[in-house]
Every structure is written in structure tokens, then in C-alpha cells.
Amino acid sequence: MTFPDTFLWGTATAAHQVEGGNTASDFWAMEHAPGSLFAEPSGDACDHYRLFRDDLALLAGLGFTAYRFSIEWARVEPEDGVFSRAAIAHYRDVLAACHEFGLTPMVTLHHFTSPRWLMRYGGWEYAGTPERFAAYCRAVLAELGDSVPYVCTINEANIGPLLRGMLGISGDGAPVGIDLGGQDWRRPAAEALATTPDKLNPFLFTFSDAGIAVVKQAHMAAREAIRAVSPASQVGITLSLQDFQPLPGATEIADRMWAEQFEEYLPALQGDDFLGVQNYCRARIGTEGILPQPADAELTQAGYEYYPQALEPVLRRAATAGLPLFVTENGIATADDDRRVAFIETALDGVGRALADGVDIRGYFYWSALDNFEWMLGYTPRFGLIAVDRETQRRTPKNSAYHLGAVAGRHRRIRS
Ligand code: GAL
């Protein structure tokens, strides 16, 4: 399999999932409120805020050439309009370490978590959020832009229609099928965030049409702000895309879901430099929507079907955006690391075939570098190439880390 010499071989993380102590974020409050939807709180996570140098040195030593991580808005702007020079200096140190260790950094500016104060205004349904988000992006890139070659504004910007499709939620945000464990969590979480339940619209739980529009506007406003202060940084967004496989009679509904989750984002992406594609599995579509997994499906720890073949068709379809693509996330939660190696091999075979057919794919970031905080599921699912003992914070690379690192390392040697 031939990959271009410039192809980025990376792993991905997100601030809230690895840094620890993200106390100024909406998620921290939601994790600790009575009736929380979270299996456990994020706590110290992987203490990556303190241990980032060791982690980056480890990843570079394994052979990787790139690292995707997120900057935490809640740390940079812990109160409305109050920017933390200390937090920005921290991320300057992270970027410097990436460059020192030969890891091309790809920075995400929003990965699910937001500052607590945003929930006082209405979170991701508030019409002023795009402007607030752009102000934060401007502040970060004005300081750090010189060391940021690639920047993703918003992670999985299409989460609204994606979750609607998965949960069966109507346009006004009301659950019509399975809901997120009832609404009992809302009132105590709103109290913890000094807001009212109607204003508590965290990014991950906002499905309304209004919320979807806010996210698109936030991306466009951020892109403009970034371009103004850091014209050399390449700007993109990431979308979570599934391989939709319609059963007979379900093509129309599958096409409609693809339109909602992909095509309707394209106008907002006009002027972007790249598109980040995130894929974990396929979705079989029947006439009523997404079907349950086949009875004999191999399920991963995150509840997805083991289906690494999904990445290739998703990349081919995403190429219709007309933008260079990065696989910004692809991975598997499993305790069986042999399955992880097999998953990566199958996924990369697909990337290679798409590349050979001329699809412009510029890099592959495995999710995730470390076993980490998997949102509502807590620490149980193990996506990492590197195991983390959360008592001691000791890191132990798994076989899959050496495996993918060796693939990456061959290219690292060619490049240097
Ligand atoms: C993505 C998300 C990541 C990670 C991953 C695994 O949707 O961007 O933060 O949790 O899923 O489930």
C-alpha cells in the first residue's frame, strides 16, 4: 500500500477526555449533578494537562508524525470575556512540544465541552454563541497561530442530526423514540450551572433546528476570525459520518439522512481548506430509520458493531464535498487488542484503495492515543493505543500502538 510521503500519521485526543480537572466546563457540572447521565465523573482523566510532554514523546517514539488535540474553551475563557493568559501559555507549550518531537499538530477548538457561563445564555441554542465562539477562536489563534498548521473549528458539527437519526428526535428537539435517560438530569444540572433548564443546551445534547443553525454559524464566524489573525493556518471542521446501508425500499430515507448529516453542511464549509471525516461504523437503514445491529454482530465496548470496512465508502462519499480529507477519527473500543490491530488494518486498506483511486486523503488519526474518558460511558470503553493506569497514571503502549506506530514510522523515516 503506497501512502504519500506527506501523509500525516497521527492519533487524536480531546481536552476533556484526557486533561483532567476541567472544572470550568459545562460537562464537569453535569457529571457531578444529581441524576447525572454520566457513568462516572471525568476527575483527573489521564492527567494529560500535566503529562503532555511524556505522552507526546511516547507517541513520537512509536513512530507517529502528527497529533490531534483540542484546546479547551472553558480554560481559555473561564468567565465571559475573561481570557486566561496562563491557559494560552499552556497550549503554547503543548504546541512547542509537538514541534520539538516532530509531531504535526492539528488543533480542535471545540470538542463537545463549553464554558459553564455559556449555559447562562442558552448554550448552543443561543443566537450570540457564534460571536462568542469566534472571539475565543480569535484570541487563541492570534497568540498561537504561528505554530498551528491545521485547525478544526468544531468537532462533529453534525452531532444534532446524527443523534436525531440515532435516537429518533423531532425538529423541535423533543425525543420521539429512545430518549437520553429521561429528562431528570436537566433541572439539577441547570441548578449546578446557575441557569434554567431551557437555557441548558450543551453541545452534545442540542438537537433542535435552532441549535443546528447556531453550530453552522459558529463555524463560519470562527473561520473568518481565524483567517483574520492567522491566514497561514488551514481551517476545517469535522463531521461524524456513518456508512449508510439501505435495505430494499429504504434508499430514500437513507439519502435523506445523508442529506441532513452531510450535504446540508456543505454551504457552511464553502471556503474551508479541508474536511475532517470521523467514522466508527455502518448503519443499516430500514423504512423506519436505523435498524438494530444484526443478531450475530460483533459489538465493541462502545456498543458499535465491529465494521472497519465502513471507512472506505464514507471517504469516497465525503469526497463529494470537493475538499481535501483527513480521517480525524477512526477507532475501536475493545479489551482485545488483536481486534484493534485487525480493525486498523482493514480500515487502512480501505484508505489505501480510496487514495489509489484518486481520493485526496491527507492523513489518518486513530481515536484514541490513550484509554480515556468516553463521555457518558465513563472510563470503561478502551479506545486507546496506550493503556493508562489511572491510579498511577502509568502509560503502557499496547501491541496496536507498536503496530500502527511502525506503519507511521516507515513514513517518518522517509520524510526526515
Ligand atoms: C467521537 C468523539 C470522541 C470519542 C469517539 C468515540 O464521537 O468525537 O470524543 O468519544 O466518538 O466514541
Side-chain angles (χ1 to χ4, degrees), residues 93-369:
D93 291 346
V94 176
L95 287 161
C98 285
H99 291 292
E100 179 185 335
F101 295 126
L103 296 167
T104 300
M106 177 179 276
V107 166
T108 303
L109 290 164
H110 188 274
H111 196 125
F112 295 174
T113 44
S114 308
R116 299 169 79 118
W117 58 260
L118 195 69
M119 299 303 130
R120 295 204 294 268
Y121 297 106
W124 287 90
E125 279 196 0
Y126 168 52
T129 290
E131 195 187 314
R132 307 288 172 125
F133 179 61
Y136 146 72
C137 296
R138 189 180 306 114
V140 170
L141 271 292
E143 290 289 330
L144 307 181
D146 287 353
S147 23
V148 176
Y150 299 101
V151 55
C152 306
T153 56
I154 299 175
N155 181 69
E156 300 194 342
N158 63 340
I159 201 85
L162 178 88
L163 290 180
R164 270 195 210 179
M166 284 165 68
L167 305 173
I169 287 175
S170 72
D172 62 4
V176 296
I178 316 162
D179 69 11
L180 287 164
Q183 297 289 311
D184 294 351
W185 61 278
R186 261 188 189 276
R187 186 162 295 280
E191 272 166 26
L193 284 155
T195 192
T196 48
D198 59 312
K199 291 213 167 70
L200 176 63
N201 293 302
F203 182 84
L204 202 48
F205 307 139
T206 302
F207 316 107
S208 63
D209 291 341
I212 291 169
V214 165
V215 169
K216 291 175 183 167
Q217 283 155 12
H219 170 66
M220 292 187 283
R223 182 181 59 219
E224 199 183 317
I226 295 163
R227 293 248 191 270
V229 295
S230 185
S233 301
Q234 295 201 32
V235 186
I237 202 167
T238 86
L239 298 178
S240 176
L241 299 170
Q242 288 165 294
D243 172 22
F244 290 138
Q245 300 187 354
L247 266 56
T251 308
E252 208 174 304
I253 177 168
D255 287 349
R256 196 172 71 231
M257 289 174 68
W258 179 258
E260 284 168 6
Q261 295 178 27
F262 179 75
E263 283 155 7
E264 289 177 13
Y265 284 81
L266 297 183
L269 311 192
Q270 292 304 309
D272 283 12
D273 297 303
F274 67 88
L275 172 63
V277 171
Q278 319 208 149
N279 169 260
Y280 289 89
C281 57
R282 68 170 170 175
R284 290 158 62 252
I285 315 289
T287 48
E288 303 286 308
I290 296 183
L291 294 168
Q293 278 117 350
D296 59 349
E298 175 185 344
L299 297 186
T300 69
Q301 287 177 332
Y304 313 142
E305 182 185 6
Y306 178 94
Y307 199 79
Q309 305 88 310
L311 182 58
E312 179 184 356
V314 161
L315 285 166
R316 291 179 188 272
R317 219 170 173 193
T320 57
L323 293 168
L325 305 177
F326 285 94
V327 179
T328 41
E329 286 183 28
N330 176 247
I332 175 176
T334 179
D336 180 351
D337 198 49
D338 291 342
R339 292 310 279 154
R340 190 181 335 275
V341 170
F343 184 99
I344 292 170
E345 282 195 342
T346 304
L348 282 181
D349 281 350
V351 174
R353 276 189 300 270
L355 269 170
D357 285 344
V359 180
D360 184 0
I361 308 164
R362 309 244 169 126
Y364 175 90
F365 291 80
Y366 176 82
W367 181 273
S368 181

Side-chain angles (χ1 to χ4, degrees), residues 11 13 18 45-48 51 54-55 58-59 62 64 301 332 334-337 340 366-373 379-402:
T11 61
T13 62
V18 293
C46 305
D47 204 7
H48 183 67
L51 300 175
D54 297 348
D55 290 336
L58 183 56
L59 290 166
L62 286 163
F64 291 99
Q301 287 177 332
I332 175 176
T334 179
D336 180 351
D337 198 49
R340 190 181 335 275
Y366 176 82
W367 181 273
S368 181
L370 306 168
D371 284 340
N372 64 38
F373 180 69
Y379 287 97
T380 306
R382 305 292 161 101
F383 275 98
L385 295 175
I386 300 169
V388 176
D389 177 334
R390 293 190 56 254
E391 290 296 312
T392 61
Q393 292 295 351
R394 204 188 129 101
R395 274 61 167 154
T396 310
K398 305 175 191 175
N399 281 337
S400 53
Y402 295 107

